[in-house]
Amino acid sequence: QKEVEQNSGPLSVPEGAIASLNCTYSDRGSQSFFWYRQYSGKSPELIMFIYSNGDKEDGRFTAQLNKASQYVSLLIRDSQPSDSATYLCALSYGGATNKLIFGTGTLLAVQP
Amino acid sequence: DTGVSQDPRHKITKRGQNVTFRCDPISEHNRLYWYRQTLGQGPEFLTYFQNEAQLEKSRLLSDRFSAERPKGSFSTLEIQRTEQGDSAMYLCASSSRLPGQSINEKLFFGSGTQLSVL
């Protein structure tokens, strides 16, 4: 079982709708969770991070974490065509290195 | 712009040749990471430096790969005797953790070096 699992998509939503991206993880020792956005041919860019159960909101983005069920999600409200990208879920175990373990990413396509 | 800089952006080489990539992190960042990303996959951790010390290496980093960070500033990643399976985007990222900060830290990624081994 992979440490971080994501549906590769594509997830297609109409402009203005809510896009819901999901991620599950296998190791309960995971401490922090991150969502990165990656446009085609570009490097990943951090959108949100969360480490406590519940919701965390930042503008049009809401990250949700449920450690008991081992899933983390990202909601994008009022989706725009410019949100079309691959969204990477990542986790960290903390510690000295604090390296990130990434999922394969979900391709989001927002239709105008 | 003082972002993470990687050079070259693209590298095409023949199988068996050696290649070297360079990463210049954000100047005040003491932590530097190398990742590798293939098409349709997320970035995979390769190695990590804190200042000049290489503190962790992934099992993905075979003996043909070597990374250095002299003086804790820029870093180089060398691949010897390249193989077609080495074709990927090699991403460098840097971050800093301030005293008393939480476990979270923001990684700033460079634009990457796209390696194609023919």
Side-chain angles (χ1 to χ4, degrees), chain B residues 6-102:
Chain B
Q6 291 189 246
D7 183 71
R9 290 293 307 276
H10 303 276
K11 179 70 177 179
I12 300 174
T13 191
K14 292 183 178 179
R15 187 178 54 180
Q17 297 295 305
N18 300 343
V19 295
T20 300
F21 311 140
R22 177 179 171 123
C23 171
D24 287 89
I26 294 172
S27 59
E28 63 268 26
H29 286 182
N30 57 2
R31 301 162 73 87
L32 186 147
Y33 300 80
W34 284 98
Y35 285 82
R36 179 173 68 188
Q37 186 175 24
T38 54
L39 197 62
Q41 301 297 314
E44 296 174 299
F45 170 79
L46 292 179
T47 190
Y48 157 69
F49 290 86
Q50 178 151 338
N51 300 312
E52 68 277 6
Q54 187 175 19
L55 298 184
E56 186 171 346
K57 293 193 293 185
S58 165
R59 290 171 298 170
L60 294 174
L61 217 62
S62 75
D63 292 343
R64 298 184 297 106
F65 288 71
S66 62
E68 295 182 342
R69 193 184 182 195
K71 303 179 183 177
S73 55
F74 70 92
S75 176
T76 58
L77 178 67
E78 180 183 16
I79 308 175
Q80 295 182 327
R81 305 180 302 282
T82 52
E83 301 173 356
Q84 288 184 325
D86 297 331
S87 296
M89 173 76 80
Y90 289 84
L91 292 163
C92 176
S94 71
S95 71
S96 65
R97 182 183 290 179
L98 299 173
Q101 196 181 46
S102 72

Side-chain angles (χ1 to χ4, degrees), chain A residues 12-110:
Chain A
S12 183
V13 300
E15 184 175 355
I18 296 175
S20 178
L21 302 157
N22 300 310
C23 170
T24 59
Y25 60 94
S26 59
D27 192 334
R28 291 185 180 273
S30 308
Q31 293 199 6
S32 303
F33 304 86
F34 304 79
W35 283 100
Y36 280 78
R37 177 176 63 198
Q38 187 172 29
Y39 292 111
S40 180
K42 303 295 185 182
S43 58
E45 174 190 13
L46 180 66
I47 299 175
M48 299 278 293
F49 72 86
I50 187 168
Y51 54 89
S52 298
N53 276 325
D55 295 359
K56 180 180 179 182
E57 186 173 320
D58 184 1
R60 296 187 296 114
F61 300 97
T62 299
Q64 299 174 319
L65 174 61
N66 184 322
K67 289 189 175 182
S69 300
Q70 295 177 239
Y71 82 80
V72 57
S73 62
L74 179 70
L75 301 178
I76 306 175
R77 290 180 297 280
D78 188 23
S79 297
Q80 301 297 309
S82 59
D83 294 326
S84 298
T86 295
Y87 289 80
L88 297 162
C89 173
L91 61 79
S92 163
Y93 298 111
T97 304
N98 208 30
K99 67 186 179 189
L100 296 182
I101 310 298
F102 284 87
T104 56
T106 298
L107 178 62
L108 173 66
V110 180

